Amino acid sequence: MKICLIEDDLELGRGLQSALQDAGQEVVWVRRVLDAKNWVQDEPFDAILLDLGLPDGNGMELLRHFRSEGKTIPILVITARDSLEDRLSGLDLGADDYLVKPFVNTELLARLRAVVRRSTGWNESGETVWKVKDLMLDDRRMLVTRAGGPVVLSKTEFGLLHALMRYPDRVLTRRELEARALPNSDGQALDVHMSNLRKKIGEGYIRTVRGIGYVVEK
């Protein structure tokens, strides 16, 4: 998973970054509201860890901003604010979970996995599967089917479809898609791969948003 950690405390931030990386997660750690907005706008994160006490703004307002922008990414609030009013406010504003400091890292990791599972969906055997209409993508088995029949994709095409199906109804920018599946792209390769992907899965799944990127609509 790719995690955006928004935490201004240096000691805690370093500790959380290390714990997440040791658990195999990719972590982008920011300490300010403006940096958080810029990163979340441009990068396809799987989850956000959000502290509420930030030096240049209020974490609650940042949470409100993400949800008002239509961001459906799972957000786990991590804060020392332990009042019932604060917990209810965070959840009402769209937080997926609320964890009070101090906490042990094992609990944080468990809660993080839980909010991501609820957001993306897991089948009973623990495999991650995404479905849009009659199109199904199985992440663990690198398998794509349409109406039950197999669709053979290249690694890059699978990566593009994977990114889009993980965030249905959300427009992914060209930069986001290139970061996911074409890290060394020259800017034109994306269109070629997207054209090939559309031919293989058929029309009616991926919509172009001119000047911005692409979206898979449920």
Side-chain angles (χ1 to χ4, degrees), residues 21-142:
Q21 290 175 338
D22 288 345
Q25 315 306 329
E26 181 181 354
V27 183
V28 172
W29 173 28
V30 296
R31 301 176 60 209
R32 295 181 178 274
V33 168
L34 180 59
D35 293 333
K37 287 181 178 179
N38 290 336
W39 273 99
V40 174
Q41 177 64 35
D42 293 335
E43 295 292 330
F45 291 103
D46 296 300
I48 294 173
L49 293 176
L50 173 62
D51 181 29
L52 297 182
L54 300 171
D56 61 334
N58 187 309
M60 287 289 194
E61 289 304 315
L62 183 56
L63 173 59
R64 188 195 304 274
H65 167 78
F66 288 146
R67 293 314 189 212
S68 68
E69 289 286 305
K71 303 293 186 185
T72 58
I73 179 173
I75 299 177
L76 171 55
V77 170
I78 50 173
T79 179
R81 302 180 190 178
D82 60 355
S83 72
L84 177 60
E85 181 180 355
D86 283 325
R87 292 200 300 272
L88 293 178
S89 294
L91 295 171
D92 286 342
L93 285 175
D96 294 87
D97 202 352
Y98 192 105
L99 185 58
V100 176
K101 301 173 183 176
F103 49 76
V104 295
N105 289 335
T106 51
E107 180 181 7
L108 172 69
L109 290 168
R111 287 176 179 253
L112 185 60
R113 290 192 296 268
V115 297
V116 172
R117 280 200 303 270
R118 291 198 297 268
S119 172
T120 59
W122 287 57
N123 64 25
E124 292 181 356
S125 64
E127 295 177 297
T128 311
V129 176
W130 288 269
K131 295 180 180 179
V132 173
K133 301 175 184 176
D134 62 349
L135 194 66
M136 186 275 292
L137 183 147
D138 187 325
D139 186 13
R140 289 281 182 87
R141 293 188 291 169
M142 293 284 289

Side-chain angles (χ1 to χ4, degrees), residues 134-162:
D134 62 349
L135 194 66
M136 186 275 292
L137 183 147
D138 187 325
D139 186 13
R140 289 281 182 87
R141 293 188 291 169
M142 293 284 289
L143 174 68
V144 175
T145 62
R146 178 186 175 190
V151 179
V152 179
L153 301 179
S154 70
K155 181 179 179 180
T156 298
E157 292 161 357
F158 185 91
L160 291 171
L161 185 61
H162 183 215

Side-chain angles (χ1 to χ4, degrees), residues 171 174 207-215:
V171 178
R174 296 177 64 89
R207 179 170 65 88
T208 301
V209 182
R210 293 191 179 277
I212 301 177
Y214 299 88
V215 59

